[in-house]
């Protein structure tokens, strides 16, 4: 059974810091890895999708990488801003649906 | 539409009542998913529709849960005889054609069973 783990569960940083969020998964058959952002009381906003043929994706200050052999993905956020404060979820897909980690709650202070 | 929409945004019901939750996927998306987000449980898959194929119901927690998708577009998730443990946020997502395509989520319906 696919399991997705996110470390750390919570992270507080001052504005301007670069940071890395970690995601690990147990099933090497994964063919998609998607990162989402969730603001309190809101739905999920898709940030980046990495397909199995890719190793990384970039969007603005965000960069996500995927290493299937080690079962890990990382989300790198450059020059963090208070507006980045949210819960970040990674989700792996090895079958029909996405399997989600429990998220990392990020707080960026000004 | 511009994004996935869900209604109602909030639903409060009494234990034992039936509820219906609605999802409008992004226009042109053939794949539709329902997920549930409970406190302390994270997000869990419930059901998946792809075109006219039989739905994947493997995530439904009990036979009190069912879902339909009419005309390949709008979907309704029905929970019969609601229990307090059904309280959660129910999220709908759609993607262009399922498989490895990016999933886009709606804002969710927060269900509270008293």
């Amino acid at each position: 059974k696919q399991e997705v783990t996110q470390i750390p569960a919570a992270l507080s940083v001052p504005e301007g810091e670069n940071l890395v969020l970690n995601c690990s998964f147990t099933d090497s058959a994964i063919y998609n890895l998607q990162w989402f952002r969730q603001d309190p009381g809101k739905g999920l906003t898709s940030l980046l999708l990495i397909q199995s043929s890719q190793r990384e994706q970039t969007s603005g200050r965000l960069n996500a990488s995927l290493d299937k052999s080690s079962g890990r993905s990382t989300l790198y956020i450059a020059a963090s801003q208070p507006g980045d404060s949210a819960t970040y979820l990674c989700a792996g897909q090895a079958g029909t649906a996405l399997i989600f980690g429990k998220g990392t709650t990020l707080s960026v202070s000004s | 539409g511009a994004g996935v929409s869900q209604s109602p945004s909030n639903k409060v019901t009494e234990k034992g009542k039936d509820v219906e939750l609605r999802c409008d996927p992004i226009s042109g998306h053939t794949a539709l998913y329902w997920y549930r987000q409970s406190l302390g449980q994270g997000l869990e898959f419930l059901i998946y529709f792809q075109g006219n194929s039989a739905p994947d119901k493997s995530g439904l927690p009990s036979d009190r849960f069912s879902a339909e998708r009419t005309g390949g577009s709008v979907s309704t998730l029905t929970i019969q005889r609601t229990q307090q443990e059904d309280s959660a946020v129910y999220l709908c997502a759609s993607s262009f054609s399922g498989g490895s395509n990016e999933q886009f989520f709606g804002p969710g319906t927060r269900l509270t069973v008293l």
Side-chain angles (χ1 to χ4, degrees):
Chain A
K1 179 184 172 185
Q2 174 77 273
E3 290 188 5
V4 178
T5 304
Q6 291 188 248
I7 295 173
L11 181 63
S12 292
V13 300
E15 182 177 7
E17 272 206 10
N18 302 324
L19 58 102
V20 174
L21 307 182
N22 296 292
C23 173
S24 61
F25 46 91
T26 55
D27 188 349
S28 61
I30 191 171
Y31 57 83
N32 258 2
L33 197 293
Q34 197 166 350
W35 282 92
F36 295 89
R37 168 186 173 137
Q38 186 172 34
D39 293 281
K42 305 289 186 184
L44 276 64
T45 300
S46 178
L47 297 174
L48 290 163
L49 168 69
I50 311 175
Q51 296 181 322
S52 61
S53 58
Q54 302 168 326
R55 291 188 63 83
E56 66 178 305
Q57 283 286 335
T58 298
S59 175
R61 294 182 294 108
L62 305 179
N63 175 276
S65 66
L66 174 62
D67 184 343
K68 290 178 61 178
S69 62
S70 66
R72 293 193 298 182
S73 177
T74 60
L75 178 66
Y76 175 82
I77 303 177
S80 57
Q81 302 172 357
D84 295 332
S85 298
T87 296
Y88 291 81
L89 296 158
C90 75
Q93 185 168 12
T96 298
L98 293 172
I99 307 298
F100 284 83
K102 295 202 172 169
T104 295
T105 299
L106 173 65
S107 176
V108 181
S109 56
S110 55
Chain B
V4 179
S5 60
Q6 293 186 245
S7 61
S9 56
N10 281 283
K11 176 72 176 177
V12 179
T13 190
E14 294 179 348
K15 178 181 172 181
K17 300 283 190 182
D18 297 351
V19 295
E20 285 189 352
L21 313 179
R22 177 188 168 106
C23 171
D24 268 286
I26 293 171
S27 178
H29 281 192
T30 62
L32 187 149
Y33 308 77
W34 283 98
Y35 294 84
R36 177 170 72 173
Q37 188 173 31
S38 308
L39 270 177
Q41 295 292 323
L43 269 144
E44 56 178 338
F45 164 73
L46 297 177
I47 189 169
Y48 162 66
F49 296 90
Q50 170 54 49
N52 295 321
S53 302
D56 176 353
K57 305 180 182 179
S58 60
L60 294 178
S62 78
D63 58 8
R64 296 185 297 104
F65 288 72
S66 63
E68 290 184 341
R69 188 176 186 195
T70 55
S73 182
V74 171
S75 177
T76 302
L77 177 69
T78 300
I79 309 173
Q80 295 178 309
R81 304 181 303 281
T82 52
Q83 303 294 313
Q84 289 183 330
E85 62 262 28
D86 299 335
S87 296
V89 177
Y90 290 81
L91 291 160
C92 176
S94 70
S95 69
F96 182 65
S97 63
S100 61
N101 286 281
E102 189 173 6
Q103 293 185 29
F104 296 90
F105 280 74
T109 293
R110 180 174 297 278
L111 174 67
T112 303
V113 182
L114 302 176

